[in-house]
Amino acid sequence: MGNIAASAKSAPPPDDIPELGIGSGDPAKDPAPDNDQSDSSRVGSFEELPRKTKDVLAKPFEGCKFTWNKMITDRFQATHTINMSSFKPAAYKFGTTYVGGKKLGPNEQYPILISEYGGGTVQFQGIHSFTSEIQAKAVIHATDKSFSMYQADIGYKGDDFSAQLTGVNASIINPQGIWVGHYLQKVSKHLSLGGELMFQHGMGSKAAVITYGGMYKDDKSEFVVKTGEPGTHFCYYQKGNEQVECGVEFEYVKQIGESVTTFGYSIDLPKGLSKFKGSIDSDWSVTGVLEKRFEAFPFCFSLSGLLNHKKNQAKFGIGFTIG
């Protein structure tokens, strides 16, 4: 798919759909490359510490989803998506992805511009790396009448530390919105420690929340912990071989006093151009997502299922992607 397919992987999609990692053909929906793997001497970001574990866990969807990706040029792509479900009306979305010509690596080109329109909502995302260390991102969500959300962040990644500042619906002139600062420091070959400070100002009140965290990693495993006023989050990731990965996630939310533990695994079958993700959690939910590509055709077929034994609920989904 040319330059656009490789570069736009760095940008998360505006619409959250299951990402299975064998290449959906849609650059806006293929998972981002792991920069930590490509350069193990560099530390990642505090916000993305649990990413590997979360990528292993199955992400179910419900209903029927049809996606058609059309390459206009080697830098510009249009996407047509139709969603049909029993719990919400059918919807059509039109999206575009543009990748600029500034190369910072074999799979990195900037700027990246992603937009999506549908259901009376417009979403826009722009990402640009000024240098290999400094990257900025902007996200805007708007309805027919007003802006519902806008976010901007800038980050710096050094050889042994990273820092990022994010503003959500924030204003410097009239103090309001949410400001979040992240910092992560590599203290040894395997250990990184950091923290997050979130400050919210508006509606006549102010609040600040601090979260501490760290990660211990080696060649095939990662252990992540985050703890603070909102709660506690543990993640463990283990790579068995080139085809098998597994992960365990524990999350406790202090405000509601509830916790959930989830175990998940991912099996990649490269000869069959297939990938399966499964997970089970302490709430008695069993989830599975299967993705199958066809070598002779630009076509991808997806199946999703979720069964909650405790609540006696079931959700199923089927997806088709062309291009």
Side-chain angles (χ1 to χ4, degrees):
M1 293 180 59
N3 297 331
I4 191 171
S7 303
K9 293 181 182 178
S10 302
D15 190 13
D16 54 338
I17 68 166
E19 300 177 303
L20 297 179
I22 64 173
S24 64
D26 181 357
K29 296 177 173 60
D30 284 345
D34 193 340
N35 294 329
D36 296 343
Q37 288 181 344
S38 62
D39 188 356
S40 57
S41 65
R42 282 200 170 188
V43 67
S45 67
F46 184 85
E47 186 181 17
E48 296 178 344
L49 284 180
R51 186 181 63 185
K52 277 193 175 180
T53 302
K54 287 187 174 294
D55 285 346
V56 169
L57 305 180
K59 302 174 182 63
F61 62 98
E62 186 176 6
C64 181
K65 185 181 184 74
F66 173 79
T67 303
W68 178 34
N69 303 309
K70 175 64 176 177
M71 294 299 301
I72 309 301
T73 69
D74 62 342
R75 300 189 186 279
F76 187 77
Q77 174 181 287
T79 302
H80 306 269
T81 304
I82 298 176
N83 292 284
M84 292 176 288
S85 173
S86 60
F87 66 93
K88 61 181 180 181
Y92 165 78
K93 292 184 178 181
F94 173 74
T96 61
T97 302
Y98 171 80
V99 175
K102 183 178 180 180
K103 271 196 172 186
L104 293 179
N107 293 325
E108 288 186 276
Q109 284 185 222
Y110 298 94
I112 301 172
L113 304 176
I114 300 174
S115 65
E116 185 178 77
Y117 174 78
T121 301
V122 177
Q123 303 179 56
F124 171 80
Q125 183 173 220
I127 301 176
H128 185 59
S129 280
F130 302 99
T131 67
S132 59
E133 294 86 13
I134 302 175
Q135 184 178 95
K137 181 170 67 174
V139 180
I140 298 174
H141 292 196
T143 62
D144 292 334
K145 298 181 179 180
S146 63
F147 290 104
S148 57
M149 191 277 286
Y150 54 91
Q151 172 182 323
D153 65 59
I154 186 165
Y156 180 89
K157 285 189 178 182
D159 292 334
D160 61 353
F161 77 96
S162 67
Q164 181 175 321
L165 178 64
T166 302
V168 182
N169 293 344
S171 173
I172 300 177
I173 300 175
N174 298 317
Q176 64 179 12
I178 300 173
W179 292 95
V180 184
H182 301 105
Y183 183 82
L184 186 65
Q185 177 71 52
K186 193 172 186 178
V187 297
S188 71
K189 181 180 179 181
H190 301 290
L191 180 64
S192 299
L193 300 174
E196 172 189 274
L197 172 62
M198 183 184 73
F199 178 77
Q200 183 174 5
H201 185 236
M203 304 294 293
S205 64
K206 299 179 182 179
V209 178
I210 300 177
T211 301
Y212 303 97
M215 175 176 68
Y216 181 87
K217 65 180 294 187
D218 55 29
D219 294 338
K220 290 191 174 182
S221 63
E222 291 185 1
F223 178 74
V224 175
V225 58
K226 289 185 177 184
T227 184
E229 183 64 25
T232 303
H233 191 191
F234 293 100
C235 289
Y236 177 75
Y237 164 85
Q238 178 69 48
K239 183 175 183 179
N241 52 43
E242 294 301 322
Q243 286 77 42
V244 180
E245 300 171 296
C246 65
V248 179
E249 179 183 46
F250 169 82
E251 192 166 11
Y252 169 71
V253 181
K254 185 177 180 180
Q255 185 175 4
I256 60 177
E258 294 183 359
S259 63
V260 176
T261 303
T262 306
F263 168 77
Y265 63 94
S266 172
I267 300 177
D268 192 1
L269 304 173
K271 292 184 178 180
L273 295 175
S274 303
K275 191 161 192 175
F276 178 79
K277 289 186 177 183
S279 63
I280 182 171
D281 63 32
S282 57
D283 197 34
W284 294 98
S285 291
V286 180
T287 306
V289 179
L290 172 68
E291 185 174 282
K292 166 68 177 177
R293 294 193 60 82
F294 298 88
E295 188 172 9
F297 307 98
F299 178 77
C300 178
F301 175 71
S302 304
L303 282 177
S304 170
L306 183 149
L307 177 62
N308 187 297
H309 296 79
K310 184 178 180 180
K311 300 178 181 178
N312 196 25
Q313 294 179 347
K315 297 179 181 180
F316 300 95
I318 182 171
F320 304 90
T321 301
I322 299 176

